[in-house]
Amino acid sequence: MVYTLDPRTKRLGIMGGTFDPIHNGHLVAASEVAHRFALDQVLFVPTGQPWQKEDHKVSEAEHRYLMTVIATAADARFEVSRVDIERPGPTFTVDTLTDLRKQYGEDLEMFFITGADALSNILTWRDHEQVVEMAHLVGVTRPGHNLQNPGLPSEAITLIEIPALAISSTDVRARVARGEPIRYLVPDGVAFHIQKHNLYLDANPNPDPTIVGIL
Ligand code: NAP
């Protein structure tokens, strides 16, 4: 299905992430940024099938996309885009923003939201000057993290601490591998999807087969 943006949308949040899996911290962050910037909508954009990350194999894009759809279904401000998972090759934010601009038109103010950790490397990103021209950047981070502008003009970037980002995808995957509960860390539908498809069990090379139930 091709999602059509509400034509009245003028201020669009673009929440970029791997979402492996999406968790309640991501949802709180999107909601908080939507409130602070008076956004009309937030489009969650799961990254394409990447490169193997340093510490783990990333789940198939289709699983990450479906979990993102499940997690955002109940909030009228949230939608999910397949733009990054359908573009072959690694995901570059300049391509994400260019494709969304083409899809949704020029008359749109874009706010690219992602983890402040990821944004701290923005000066190494492909065509980062263009990224900064196309969207205001919003870096969200967990408590205790050192929030630092990665070297951009202060009007180009906003950094926000989100207490709920104490939850992390890494921790959720590790808990699943250990058979520990993830209820209240992720939406119930996401936990059911993880359980149904046996995701993240290989995050632990020696899972305890006697531990069952992550809900
Ligand atoms: P990552 O390295 O997997 O994540 C870094 C940190 O940021 C993690 O702590 C992660 O926590 C957090 N994070 C990631 N996305 C988040 C979000 N939307 N909200 C809150 N926290 C978030 O980052 P990534 O997922 O690969 O990349 C994030 C975005 O930046 C993607 O849209 C990606 O395409 C873009 N990016 C672009 C370039 C480029 O253009 N060259 C390079 C790198 C990244 P969790 O694991 O809990 O989410």
Side-chain angles (χ1 to χ4, degrees):
M1 183 190 85
V2 176
Y3 161 66
T4 315
L5 198 68
D6 184 325
R8 289 163 301 183
T9 296
K10 291 282 182 274
R11 291 167 71 84
L12 178 68
I14 297 154
M15 179 80 167
T18 307
F19 301 130
D20 193 21
I22 190 165
H23 52 67
N24 288 335
H26 295 128
L27 299 172
V28 173
S31 176
E32 184 63 20
V33 176
H35 173 69
R36 290 216 199 172
F37 288 89
L39 304 181
D40 298 302
Q41 287 205 291
V42 178
L43 197 55
F44 284 69
V45 188
T47 56
Q49 191 54 33
W51 61 92
Q52 182 129 344
K53 292 239 175 195
E54 271 169 29
D55 56 343
H56 72 284
K57 190 171 141 280
V58 175
S59 305
E60 279 171 33
E62 215 56 43
H63 279 306
R64 295 183 289 106
Y65 169 76
L66 284 174
M67 289 190 283
T68 307
V69 170
I70 291 166
T72 54
D75 193 321
R77 297 168 301 171
F78 295 166
E79 287 292 344
V80 187
S81 168
R82 296 179 65 88
V83 74
D84 281 352
I85 65 177
E86 285 180 354
R87 187 184 329 97
T91 298
F92 296 111
T93 299
V94 66
D95 298 332
T96 311
L97 299 177
T98 304
D99 287 354
L100 291 175
R101 178 68 79 200
K102 268 189 216 143
Q103 235 172 315
Y104 300 131
E106 290 298 319
D107 189 19
L108 197 65
E109 205 174 335
M110 299 197 289
F111 296 77
F112 183 74
I113 312 159
T114 196
D117 279 3
L119 273 186
S120 66
N121 296 319
I122 188 162
L123 296 183
T124 66
W125 291 11
R126 177 181 285 188
D127 297 329
H128 63 269
E129 296 95 342
Q130 203 181 329
V131 169
V132 172
E133 267 171 31
M134 295 181 83
H136 182 75
L137 303 175
V138 185
V140 289
T141 193
R142 40 191 58 101
H145 182 86
N146 190 11
L147 281 173
Q148 271 192 341
N149 182 327
L152 297 174
S154 58
E155 63 278 12
I157 184 167
T158 304
L159 298 167
I160 303 178
E161 183 175 291
I162 305 284
L165 279 176
I167 303 171
S168 75
S169 300
T170 305
D171 185 45
V172 171
R173 292 192 301 272
R175 294 182 69 89
V176 172
R178 294 193 297 261
E180 293 171 3
I182 57 171
R183 192 171 209 176
Y184 309 124
L185 300 179
V186 301
D188 285 352
V190 170
F192 286 128
H193 186 94
I194 291 169
Q195 194 171 44
K196 178 173 169 184
H197 296 282
N198 295 318
L199 301 184
Y200 310 128
L201 294 177
D202 60 355
N204 176 353
N206 302 304
D208 181 345
T210 63
I211 299 177
V212 288
I214 55 172
L215 281 167

